[in-house]
Structures are given as structure tokens and as C-alpha cells.
Amino acid sequence: MMAKCPVCYTEYIEGQVKYCSTCGWDLSSYLTTFAGQVPEAFLEKAQAKLGWSRQMWARLQSTLSELQLQVEIGYEARAQLQAQISQLKTQLQHLQEERQSLKPSDLSDEIYYIDEPPLQSSIGVNYTKLRELVGAGKWKEADEETVVILINKNVENFPCEDLYIINQLWAKYSIGRFGFSLQKRIWNQCEHDAYQFGDRVGWRRGDSWLNYSELTFNNNAVLGHLPSWRGVWRGQRGKSSGALFFSRLEACKL
């Protein structure tokens, strides 16, 4: 005959088991077995014990349910985190491959073996200050000096001799990390896409062009980050003037 545990209501075959297989309740002490055969005080005490056991069992089940829910949430969060980590690893691998493809040693032998160019400007520019700044690794000041040289000139007609001097100074003293010729190679790899180029050289973040103050003026900057020639490349206008600038570099064979 089937009966139910008075605490957790698990079914069992009466007379074949002594303790509940689920909660461990002593089934031989089930009150109806002794009804009318024991003192009333004993029955009340047993009834109180049964009531307390039922409450404890209910609390235990509630606690287990909460723990199970937390475990399930934890598994979901862990799965999401693992997916994000996997995605980041993939992105990092792509960036490393991209960076590897742009190693200075792979770009050109001339990067590492550059003689300092004669500072003979065809338009009367004194490049001594720029040489001192890049030689001292003062990249922000050097960038500002480069902008001063470029800003008031017609990009399409800027002398090749002077572009060569600026490029060689940047390339020599950055050990191939910066310079116009490097930027032109990246521009060509980006198939002349201004926004992709901006992403590659670190001039954009997300969908926005960085302000000048947000640029990186140290050796941790990505390849081709400098010179920024701010004022030549700015927003939508920058896309057009940038294309003109690279066309000029191409014409000057930089």
C-alpha cells in the first residue's frame, strides 16, 4: 500500500521502509500508527515535531530553489563572459596580425638606415627646430611644428624636396614608426578609404574623429599615428584634403 511522508510527501510502500528516502523522516513514528495507544501529551509533542519538520523542509526547499537559480544565472553569466573573451581573443589576434604586417622591418629597409637629409628647403623653411624636436622625442611639439610648416601652404603644390625632409626626419628619429611615407603605405592598404585609414592610424575612436588633444604623443602610439598634420585632415573636409595630400606624396615618390 502506498503512503506519503508527512514532511515532504514523498510516496513510499508502507511497511517496507523505515526512513523517508527524500527527507530522512522516521516513518515508523508516523502519528496515525499510534493513535489511541499513547498519551495525549506524547501526541501533541510528536505533532509539534512534525510541524517544525515541515517548516524546516519548506525553508530548505526554498533555499535550494534560490541557490539553483543563482547557479543557473552564474552559468549564463559565465557563458556570456566566455563568449566575450573568445570574441576579444579573435579581435586581438586580428590586430596582432595586422600590426605584424606593418612592422617597420617589413615596410622598407630605408626606414632603419636613413641618413639625415640635408636641411635645404626650397621655400626657405628652417628645419633645425623640427630636427631638434624629433631628435629629442618631443613628438607633440614636433607635430605642432610640422603643422606650422604645412598649414599655410597649398598641399597640391608643396615642394617635394621639403616633404622629403619632413618625412626623413620623422622616419629617422622615430625608428620607422612615424612619417609620411609610412602613412601613405597604410593609406594604400586601406584602398584610399579615409575612415578606415583614420581607424588604422588611431585618429578615430568608434565613429568619431579624435580631437587634437586626444592624440597619442609618445612611443606607444600606433604605427603611422604621427605626424597628424592637424588642419589638413579634419572631418569631411579632411577626407578630400587627405586624398590630395597622399596624391602629392605619390607624385613626389615618397
Side-chain angles (χ1 to χ4, degrees), residues 112-242:
Y112 279 109
Y113 305 102
I114 296 175
D115 292 327
E116 184 171 302
L119 305 185
Q120 299 176 356
S121 170
S122 63
I123 52 177
V125 175
N126 186 345
Y127 287 105
T128 302
K129 182 178 180 180
L130 179 60
R131 178 181 61 188
E132 292 175 350
L133 291 172
V134 293
K138 296 182 178 180
W139 304 121
K140 187 174 189 298
E141 293 85 347
D143 191 74
E144 292 171 347
E145 177 67 13
T146 302
V147 170
V148 170
I149 296 171
L150 294 175
I151 192 67
N152 294 320
K153 309 297 188 300
N154 186 326
V155 173
E156 296 178 89
N157 298 319
F158 197 88
C160 293
E161 295 86 352
D162 287 72
L163 287 175
Y164 176 80
I165 293 172
I166 298 171
N167 177 67
Q168 296 295 90
L169 289 174
W170 275 96
K172 174 180 175 63
Y173 289 103
S174 69
I175 317 179
R177 295 190 60 82
F178 306 137
F180 296 149
S181 56
L182 173 60
Q183 290 174 339
K184 192 192 74 167
R185 289 188 178 97
I186 298 173
W187 171 260
N188 289 336
Q189 289 180 355
C190 293
E191 298 181 348
H192 302 180
D193 185 292
Y195 300 104
Q196 186 178 350
F197 173 81
D199 293 335
R200 287 280 294 276
V201 300
W203 292 359
R204 284 168 51 85
R205 183 180 298 126
D207 295 328
S208 302
W209 292 90
L210 298 181
N211 295 322
Y212 188 74
S213 61
E214 297 176 295
L215 299 180
T216 303
F217 296 102
N218 56 52
N219 292 327
N220 293 325
V222 299
L223 295 176
H225 191 67
L226 299 173
S228 67
W229 26 288
R230 183 184 181 220
V232 179
W233 188 306
R234 294 292 298 276
Q236 291 294 336
R237 183 172 65 86
K239 181 178 180 180
S240 176
S241 60

